[in-house]
Amino acid sequence: TNMMVLLSVFVNVFLQSAFTYLVVFYISGSGDDLEALKNDFSAWRDQRAGDDVLVRVCETDYSFGSDFLQTSMNDRLLGYLGGGEEYLGLAAPGAFLCLVVCSAWCLQVFAVVGEVIDELRGVWYITYTTCKMMEIAVSQEGFTLQRVPRHRSQWFAFASVFQIIIATALLVAGIRWLCSTTDIVELMLNGVALSYIMDLDELAYQVLVPTKMRTLIHMMDPLLAKWSMGFPVRSLSLSLPLCGVMIITAGVLSGIVFDVQEVQFALCRGFG
């Protein structure tokens, strides 16, 4: 039983660390270089000036065999911007969807952070320096964890801090990845992929932890975080950073929408 629990912890740490490393250092920066695209498409348009190719590309004629990259890119950018040459800002379909997906992603990350903080507070209130081993009270309804030695609380705090670091890194890298995605369908898929990473601990728990251990945990009474009922400390401590992150995301996204429109103008301004 102990070996299976340790295995589940190891698998969870390894998978979350590996996914976080890949997302932070490779995937989050894999979006299109909008400045380079703008320059390249401007040069391409100058070469095709007065050519029938330019017209067919900008009218999204997929029956045309050449310059497929320009055709597909123009179609994608128009879908992101909502068509037309008017600057819509965050009201553009792609930007609005990105803001919604980023909001959902932030809520999921902050929900995990909130759970970790609740667990830390719950363990803190039953930690005693004079306690040498965990004390569990047994009743007809289940089990109650009453006292925890200090060294076990320290290990739990270390694991909790590690989880918060992972969540913070994924939050920043995930928002960067989503904001750099200019394909509406990929936006949804990327959001689902990110949420999958946050569920790895639950999957490892359900698959690897023995039934006996899961039954004992299920029968154990939840720890009391003892938040104030008179003042919403927990809600404010999570909602204020959440609002700050969303405001920053909206500002960054506004600039990206402007850059996307500049790329589309460089490619096919005056068409459509």
Side-chain angles (χ1 to χ4, degrees):
T1 300
N2 292 336
M3 289 299 298
M4 293 303 297
V5 172
L6 290 176
L7 177 62
S8 66
V9 172
F10 173 78
V11 170
N12 177 44
V13 171
F14 172 76
L15 290 178
Q16 286 200 336
S17 301
F19 273 115
T20 302
Y21 173 77
L22 292 173
V23 171
V24 171
F25 293 103
Y26 294 98
I27 298 178
S28 64
S30 62
D32 296 323
D33 187 343
L34 297 178
E35 185 64 28
L37 286 176
K38 176 184 174 182
N39 296 332
D40 292 343
F41 287 151
S42 296
W44 173 84
R45 178 164 179 159
D46 292 339
Q47 295 174 0
R48 296 294 188 179
D51 195 340
D52 180 60
V53 173
L54 178 61
V55 177
R56 299 182 70 173
V57 165
C58 294
E59 291 181 352
T60 319
D61 184 0
Y62 281 104
S63 66
F64 190 55
S66 65
D67 300 278
F68 179 78
L69 174 61
Q70 286 79 1
T71 304
S72 60
M73 179 62 70
N74 182 57
D75 188 30
R76 188 212 301 181
L77 297 181
L78 286 176
Y80 186 90
L81 297 169
E85 297 186 357
E86 181 182 358
Y87 176 72
L88 299 178
L90 295 179
F96 184 74
L97 177 61
C98 183
L99 194 62
V100 171
V101 175
C102 286
S103 300
W105 171 236
C106 289
L107 286 173
Q108 185 166 17
V109 173
F110 276 92
V112 172
V113 173
E115 291 176 358
V116 173
I117 295 176
D118 289 341
E119 294 166 358
L120 279 172
R121 286 178 61 90
V123 172
W124 170 263
Y125 284 115
I126 60 173
T127 299
Y128 294 88
T129 55
T130 57
C131 180
K132 301 301 180 182
M133 62 179 61
M134 288 194 300
E135 297 180 7
I136 301 176
V138 181
S139 63
Q140 293 182 349
E141 291 77 17
F143 307 95
T144 302
L145 190 59
Q146 292 185 327
R147 293 162 64 93
V148 176
R150 187 173 183 178
H151 67 277
R152 288 186 177 270
S153 296
Q154 290 173 342
W155 277 109
F156 181 79
F158 173 79
S160 299
V161 170
F162 175 77
Q163 192 171 2
I164 291 177
I165 292 174
I166 291 291
T168 304
L170 285 174
L171 174 67
V172 176
I175 291 177
R176 182 187 176 193
W177 184 24
L178 293 172
C179 288
S180 65
T181 303
T182 55
D183 188 292
I184 291 181
V185 176
E186 287 187 4
L187 264 174
M188 297 295 296
L189 296 177
N190 293 348
V192 173
L194 287 171
S195 64
Y196 169 77
I197 299 175
M198 300 302 295
D199 293 335
L200 285 175
D201 55 344
E202 293 292 335
L203 295 175
Y205 172 79
Q206 293 294 334
V207 174
L208 298 176
V209 174
T211 304
K212 176 182 177 181
M213 181 63 67
R214 285 192 283 113
T215 302
L216 292 175
I217 294 175
H218 179 73
M219 295 178 63
M220 186 170 293
D221 295 334
L223 299 177
L224 300 179
K226 298 183 180 181
W227 291 102
S228 172
M229 301 298 291
F231 188 77
V233 178
R234 184 184 188 277
S235 298
L236 288 176
S237 63
L238 293 176
S239 59
L240 291 179
L242 174 63
C243 292
V245 171
M246 290 311 305
I247 291 173
I248 295 174
T249 301
V252 172
L253 195 56
S254 297
I256 291 177
V257 174
F258 180 81
D259 292 338
V260 169
Q261 191 163 43
E262 287 292 304
V263 174
Q264 201 279 326
F265 283 173
L267 181 61
C268 289
R269 185 166 192 170
F271 291 87

